[in-house]
Structure formats: C-alpha cells, structure tokens
Amino acid sequence: MHPNALLDMATELVRQVLRLDAPADTIVSGFLRQHRQLGPRERHALAETAYTLLRQRLVLAHLAQSGSGALERRLAILAWQGTDSFMRRALGPNEQQWLEQVNAIDRSGLPEKLRHNLPDWLAQALRNEVGEDFWPLVAAMDNTAGLDLRVNTLKAKREDIQAELAEAGIQAELTPYSPWGLRIAGKPALQKLPLFIRGDVEVQDEGSQLLAALLAPKRSEMVVDFCAGAGGKTLALGALMRNTGRLYAFDVSGYRLEGMKPRLARSGLSNVYPAQIAHERDERIKRLSGKIDRVLVDAPCSGLGTLRRNPDLKWRQSPKALEELQAKQTAILASAARLVKPGGRLVYATCSLLSRENEAIAQAFSEANPGFEFLPAAAALTSAQVQGADALDSQGYLRLWPHRHSTDGFFAAAWQRKD
C-alpha cells in the first residue's frame, strides 16, 4: 500500500479512537475488519499507532499544537509505530522538518502531567497507592504487555509445549509464579499452530492464572465462577478439577458466555455449565445457596490493572463510575457468598490497582460476615504449588503490579466459611 494511503488510514483510526465512545480494541478490530486488504505488518502498525496515541495522549496532543494541517494527521504522525522510512515517504518537506523539530524536544523536561499521561484524579490515586513506585508503575503501564499462555494440563505438559513452540521459532519462558504459564515476547500468530487448535494452550495473563490457583478447586467439587465472562478463568478452574465435578459459569452477559463456546470445545472440558443470569440475586443462585465448595468472584471493575493492554480505560473511567462500581462489587460479593457451603472457599478478585475497589471491599465484607475466616494469600498459593508466593502477598491479599511482577494489575482476597 502507498505510504500516503496508509497514513490517511492511520489518521482516520486516530479520529475514531479519540471519540472514546467504545473500547479501543473494539474500534481497532472493527476498523481492521473493514480493510481486509491490509497485510499483517500494516495491520500491526495501525493498531500499535492507535494504542500508542492512547498511552501518550496528553504529551502528543501538546506536541501536535505546532505544525499545520489536520490535528488527527499530526497525532497519527507522532504516534506512528511503523517504520521510519515508510513515514518519511508519506510526508512532504514541511511535515518532515516539523517532525524532526518535535523529535528533538527533550521530553524529560516537560511538566509531570505530560510525562505520566494520566488524568489528574488517577495520577493522584496511584501516587497514594504506590508512593515512590509511581514512576516505575507509569513506565510499566506504558509498555506493551507480553503474551502469556496457560498450558491446559488436561492435555499437555508445560515443558513439551515450550519445546513445540521453540520448534515453531517462538521462544517461550516459564512464568515465574504460575506453574502452568509460558511467556512470549511480542505477539506471534498462535491461532494456526497445532498446539492452539488442539486446545493445549489458552492465552491468559499470569495474574489471571494465579486467581485460579488461589481458589484451588479439587476433583469432584461443586464450583462457581460467578462473573465468568468469556471463560478464561473458568477453563483454568476446569483443568484444575481434572474435568470432574460441576463447574458453573455464571454471567449476566449472554454475549460474553457465547465467546466461551469455541474455547470450551478446544479445552476438552465436559464439566462446565455456562448459564446466563439476570442479576446477582437470580433464582438459579438461590437454588444453589449453601451447596458450593468454591466460589470465584472476578468482579466488574475499572480494569485499570490492564492499562498495558487497554490504555483507553484511563480516559474512559471516572471517579463517579468508580463509586457505582463499588456499590456493584459489594452487592455481587455478598450474593456470591451465600452460595458457599460450610468449609468452602470464597475468592473476591479484580483487575484494578485501586484499594477502594480492592482492600476496602474485602475489609467491609470481613467485618459484615464473621462467619467467614480470612485466608492469607501466601499460604493458600504455596499449597497450590505457586513459586515465590510470599512476593505476591500484601497484608494477606494477593496483590500483583505490572512494575513488580510483570503481570497485569490484580487483587484477590480469600475466605473460608466456618463450619
């Protein structure tokens, strides 16, 4: 494709993602579906340009104030993630000169807000959470996340999959904590590899895998994944149960549960029962009250722990939205707790970095439910064969940070219902 045409496409994609009226991954994938003539390299350049713009929105908007022409074109040029030579061929002499001048600016001397690229409320909230680790956290969230895989232990062994990937020219390292994880640099196309088609692996962040380890379901138990979504954690739980017992996958979204079907078919699991529920007090839940061995509540949250993958969230979330989420999280956890039988385990989790969605919700639950005994994360994870579990434990909670653990940001709290 001619460089001018591709830059025009990048400009249009920038215009669409800056509306912030839908998740960026939805906008980008929809845009690329409309342009099926693009090759893999062109598609990658366009997608990464959009995500780079969302990561660095404030500083790029500041730098784009100079120059001439459409603002979205200037932003696309500054955020461009294809080759430099390609971009130079798309630019006229004046634009090339402008770009050289902008690239010569020392960004380390810019105001803090332009260096952290966060809305004020979120920057302050993260400073309150991590203190001196604020800038390392910002740097980690500005990096593109690697690709983590969970080996389906029903079908394969981690070392065998690592070797098979190496034969395909893909280097994979063992994840440091999860006993089933592999980490790959970059984003190779896995969907056409036999190991993916066979259901031997699933794409799943190491932090998400550790939530399954914390719940630690056993053979023949009754287990509920209360907010199952597209089923990544459901599949991990089913493998830990060795395809025995009953695993209920509840979600209010039938669309998300539909997304589980092809993954479920590949996985070889036959103990999973997906079910759409109307709300957290659905009749299906009442019928199972006090009968479930283990319940995972991966609650709806701000998603701010996933900013490496979803940089648009920092612009699409707000303090008011967080208040509404906290009320929902409290209600969902209280309802899910009713399912747990005496001696059973309950895990509350989010992919948020903020204590108001995490520790605050867990502490309030503990105070309101003396019939549940708090379980320290390190001990529970160690018994689940998680290596280095002490490094994941913060005051008894599982706490994962992009800059400390190279995972998405995750939180989890565990309790056991007293007999």
Side-chain angles (χ1 to χ4, degrees):
M1 177 172 287
H2 193 279
N4 286 333
L6 195 60
L7 179 54
D8 287 344
M9 278 191 191
T11 301
E12 177 55 31
L13 181 55
V14 161
R15 185 176 286 115
Q16 291 185 24
V17 297
L18 282 179
R19 292 183 193 136
L20 300 170
D21 55 0
D25 58 351
T26 302
I27 294 171
V28 171
S29 59
F31 185 88
L32 295 177
R33 272 197 304 275
Q34 291 174 345
H35 298 90
R36 296 186 184 277
Q37 76 276 20
L38 294 169
R41 191 175 298 179
E42 294 163 331
R43 299 168 77 84
H44 180 265
L46 287 173
E48 290 305 313
T49 295
Y51 287 118
T52 297
L53 173 65
L54 290 165
R55 286 190 183 96
Q56 302 179 24
R57 179 182 165 202
L58 296 181
V59 69
L60 295 184
H62 171 77
L63 296 172
Q65 288 173 10
S66 62
S68 58
L71 175 63
E72 290 87 357
R73 179 179 170 91
R74 280 176 274 156
L75 288 170
I77 292 168
L78 292 176
W80 178 249
Q81 292 300 299
T83 61
D84 290 341
S85 60
F86 190 96
M87 178 54 68
R88 280 196 295 273
R89 285 182 307 179
L91 302 183
N94 291 340
E95 284 182 321
Q96 288 187 25
Q97 184 180 9
W98 166 76
L99 183 57
E100 287 175 12
Q101 291 170 344
V102 170
N103 286 339
I105 293 171
D106 179 8
R107 296 191 188 186
S108 66
L110 293 173
E112 279 198 356
K113 184 169 183 172
L114 299 181
R115 287 187 287 126
H116 62 55
N117 281 283
L118 296 166
D120 291 337
W121 71 269
L122 181 54
Q124 188 56 54
L126 292 178
R127 285 184 194 277
N128 293 342
E129 296 287 346
V130 296
E132 292 180 358
D133 267 9
F134 175 72
W135 288 106
L137 174 60
V138 168
M141 292 191 303
D142 273 349
N143 288 330
T144 304
L147 187 67
D148 288 358
L149 305 178
R150 178 186 58 80
V151 175
N152 180 358
T153 53
L154 277 182
K155 293 187 166 192
K157 294 181 179 178
R158 183 160 69 157
E159 290 73 17
D160 294 341
I161 295 298
Q162 186 182 29
E164 190 174 340
L165 284 167
E167 287 176 15
I170 299 170
Q171 296 304 310
E173 297 179 359
L174 305 185
T175 46
Y177 307 110
S178 168
W180 324 291
L182 292 168
R183 179 163 294 155
I184 298 169
K187 294 178 180 174
L190 297 173
Q191 283 82 354
K192 295 176 183 177
L193 293 180
L195 57 85
F196 186 85
I197 295 168
R198 292 195 307 264
D200 289 0
V201 298
E202 274 289 330
V203 174
Q204 186 178 27
D205 185 77
E206 183 182 20
S208 183
Q209 296 177 37
L210 292 172
L211 299 184
L214 186 60
L215 192 70
K218 302 288 191 288
R219 290 173 183 266
S220 303
E221 288 187 331
M222 296 257 286
V223 178
V224 167
D225 186 354
F226 202 80
C227 306
K233 282 173 282 293
T234 307
L235 300 181
L237 296 172
L240 285 175
M241 297 166 70
R242 307 304 300 170
N243 204 19
T244 64
R246 290 179 77 84
L247 173 53
Y248 295 97
F250 291 144
D251 203 274
V252 294
S253 168
Y255 175 78
R256 286 199 294 265
L257 289 174
E258 279 292 313
M260 187 191 304
K261 286 185 177 178
R263 305 172 78 185
L264 194 55
R266 282 198 311 271
S267 73
L269 293 173
S270 57
N271 65 337
V272 178
Y273 299 83
Q276 183 177 359
I277 56 175
H279 43 68
E280 71 269 12
R281 300 175 309 282
D282 193 286
E283 280 300 317
R284 293 171 187 259
I285 294 163
K286 288 183 181 177
R287 288 199 295 269
L288 294 171
S289 181
K291 297 177 181 177
I292 305 299
D293 294 283
R294 295 172 198 255
V295 177
L296 173 62
V297 182
D298 183 17
C301 70
S302 63
L304 293 169
T306 68
L307 286 178
R308 300 183 305 167
R309 307 171 196 281
N310 305 299
D312 55 312
L313 284 175
K314 61 185 174 183
W315 310 116
R316 297 177 63 234
Q317 288 293 359
S318 68
K320 185 175 187 302
L322 280 181
E323 286 178 23
E324 294 169 0
L325 280 169
Q326 285 170 260
K328 188 180 291 186
Q329 289 154 357
T330 301
I332 289 173
L333 179 56
S335 186
R338 298 187 188 109
L339 294 172
V340 184
K341 74 181 190 182
R345 181 175 295 188
L346 172 67
V347 170
Y348 168 78
T350 76
C351 53
S352 173
L353 301 171
L354 304 181
S355 55
R356 70 186 83 167
E357 297 184 82
N358 297 334
E359 287 89 348
I361 301 293
Q363 287 163 11
F365 176 83
S366 289
E367 290 167 9
N369 295 273
F372 281 82
E373 179 184 1
F374 183 68
L375 293 177
L381 290 169
T382 299
S383 66
Q385 279 77 54
V386 171
Q387 300 295 313
D390 287 343
L392 311 175
D393 188 300
S394 174
Q395 298 179 309
Y397 301 112
L398 171 67
R399 258 294 202 170
L400 299 170
W401 297 92
H403 64 298
R404 292 176 189 160
H405 306 106
S406 299
T407 66
D408 286 343
F410 276 99
F411 168 89
W415 298 268
Q416 181 171 319
R417 187 166 190 174
K418 297 175 183 175
D419 289 324

